[in-house]
Amino acid sequence: GQQLNQSPQSMFIQEGEDVSMNCTSSSIFNTWLWYKQDPGEGPVLLIALYKAGELTSNGRLTAQFGITRKDSFLNISASIPSDVGIYFCAGQYQGAQKLVFGQGTRLTINP
Amino acid sequence: DAGITQSPRYKITETGRQVTLMCHQTWSHSYMFWYRQDLGHGLRLIYYSAAADITDKGEVPDGYVVSRSKTENFPLTLESATRSQTSVYFCASSERNTGELFFGEGSRLTVL
């Protein structure tokens, strides 16, 4: 089935550093979303993007919907320990009822 | 309590047994989904439902059965469990078809 290529697969950073991760697809999506999963919990929606070129912020998080509609990125500024977890991108085709998820980026922060 | 709840949170069963994972949401969301999460595969859609009595297959439906007789409930049944179905299962709901999902806390299933 359709796959999203999410990178990097894992990141090990120091507290206070900025983080960047991205997702690419061979297909065009109508919606891009970013979710975060804390250990032992279900994913939680961070940011939803609905328009090509859209740049949206949520606190220290910033995400962009690529102009080609085939990619998206997520930035986290000044990382803190509670940012630890797995970040998933997800895309939705126009009119579709289901999402396609990336493989996830596991973020580890050294204090 | 409001929200989306899954039960049981942990289940150990044997190969060949029938297992049902329950999902209940209190928001009256139209859409409900079942995903499984495995290392190296991320989240894969098993089944989804757009409304009561409407269900459809996702990416990996084989070996699973769902029903949705009421809007708030969406049980997932493994008719004859196999070891390959050892996984963490997540239920999710959405009010509209926007991709904005609310996930439950997950059910960890081990098939021996």
Side-chain angles (χ1 to χ4, degrees), chain B residues 40-86:
Chain B
H41 290 280
L43 290 158
R44 292 184 292 175
L45 182 64
I46 305 171
Y47 268 96
Y48 64 102
S49 169
D53 297 321
I54 300 175
T55 62
D56 210 343
K57 294 178 180 179
E59 184 184 350
V60 288
D62 292 344
Y64 303 95
V65 174
V66 293
S67 62
R68 190 146 178 230
S69 57
K70 293 184 178 181
T71 298
E72 61 266 30
N73 296 324
F74 191 39
L76 176 74
T77 298
L78 288 68
E79 293 188 301
S80 178
T82 65
R83 289 182 182 170
S84 65
Q85 292 177 310
T86 292

Side-chain angles (χ1 to χ4, degrees), chain A residues 35 37 43 50 92 96-97 103, chain B residues 33 37 48 97 99-101:
Chain A
Y35 287 83
Q37 184 179 27
Y50 297 104
Q92 185 180 35
Q97 296 174 355
Q103 307 280 37
Chain B
F33 306 82
Q37 184 175 29
Y48 64 102
N97 187 22
E100 298 180 17
L101 305 184

